[in-house]
Amino acid sequence: IEDNAIIGYSIWEFINYKYGQSTLINLWKNSIATMDIEEEFKNTLNKDLDEIIEEREAYFSDKYKNFVNALSSVINMSMFFFG
């Protein structure tokens, strides 16, 4: 999978999380009709693509920071018990 596909998927995942499935569906439907996804971000979310990308980056940074911290704790505990 190319990086652009991963980034695209992560934007849709973020929109679904933050704004809900109905907003995501409306965004998809409207962007297919107008063939202008950036304009539909403005119309549907009242934000431009750059704002959405910044919000997505903060969301995933927080999401995976907790995962990395938990994983580090497990590794540290394993090192303690198993040397």
Side-chain angles (χ1 to χ4, degrees):
I1 298 176
E2 292 187 27
D3 290 344
N4 289 341
I6 293 170
I7 292 169
Y9 176 80
S10 70
I11 290 172
W12 298 124
E13 180 184 339
F14 166 71
I15 291 170
N16 187 51
Y17 169 79
K18 181 164 184 181
Y19 299 99
Q21 187 175 20
S22 61
T23 299
L24 179 63
I25 291 169
N26 287 335
L27 185 60
W28 271 76
K29 284 181 184 178
N30 294 339
S31 66
I32 290 169
T34 64
M35 300 300 289
D36 188 348
I37 189 65
E38 290 190 39
E39 187 62 31
E40 290 311 316
F41 279 122
K42 291 177 190 172
N43 292 338
T44 305
L45 304 174
N46 296 317
K47 297 180 179 184
D48 64 26
L49 182 57
D50 290 335
E51 290 175 289
I52 296 299
I53 290 171
E54 287 176 19
E55 289 180 7
R56 177 196 60 92
E57 288 174 0
Y59 164 73
F60 280 105
S61 177
D62 287 343
K63 180 178 180 179
Y64 289 111
K65 178 178 66 175
N66 293 334
F67 173 76
V68 169
N69 289 341
L71 184 59
S72 294
S73 294
V74 169
I75 291 170
N76 289 336
M77 289 177 69
S78 296
M79 299 285 283
F80 177 77
F81 287 110
F82 303 109

